Amino acid sequence: MSRRTLLNRNEDHDPVAMLSNLFDVAMVFAVALMVALVAKFNMTEIFSQEDYTMVKNPGKENMEIITKEGKEITRYKPSENKEGAGKKGKKVGIAYELENGEIIYVPE
């Protein structure tokens, strides 16, 4: 038997095998995209075990304060006598952090 005959006999062209390869490539792409988005938007704190506080849209009407304590994540939204779920609050001043680490609070 020639070598060419052996190669042709062992090659079974299965069109479904190509789909499984495409699925693998798509999964790798999806995971890489998620990792890139987490790194781009500095969201690594969400996956850490440390407690943190994050302010979303600071100084605007739709501002939110998101805190993580242990495994519990709480969202605070400022409001003016609006009914809804969750804890509410209102802006009472501005805090500035100086270069030396000192924080100055200015009430409004």
Side-chain angles (χ1 to χ4, degrees):
M1 263 185 170
S2 71
R3 186 173 183 202
R4 182 172 255 168
T5 308
L6 284 174
L7 289 176
N8 288 339
R9 217 179 256 175
N10 290 337
E11 286 184 23
D12 290 332
H13 293 289
D14 187 10
V16 178
M18 188 171 155
L19 287 177
S20 66
N21 290 339
L22 287 176
F23 178 76
D24 293 341
V25 169
M27 292 303 294
V28 168
F29 179 74
V31 169
L33 183 63
M34 287 190 299
V35 168
L37 287 174
V38 165
K40 167 74 174 155
F41 295 115
N42 296 325
M43 297 179 357
T44 54
E45 297 90 15
I46 293 174
F47 302 111
S48 71
Q49 298 296 324
E50 299 175 7
D51 295 344
Y52 69 89
T53 300
M54 180 173 61
V55 179
K56 184 177 171 185
N57 301 324
K60 298 181 181 174
E61 290 182 15
N62 59 349
M63 180 179 78
E64 292 182 53
I65 301 171
I66 301 169
T67 60
K68 178 184 174 201
E69 296 172 354
K71 293 185 177 182
E72 183 178 337
I73 297 176
T74 310
R75 296 170 59 170
Y76 300 96
K77 294 183 181 182
S79 62
E80 297 289 331
N81 298 329
K82 294 180 182 175
E83 295 296 322
K87 298 180 181 179
K88 299 178 183 179
K90 64 179 182 174
K91 184 176 177 182
V92 294
I94 301 172
Y96 296 97
E97 183 176 2
L98 302 178
E99 291 177 0
N100 63 1
E102 186 178 355
I103 296 177
I104 298 174
Y105 171 71
V106 180
E108 288 185 349

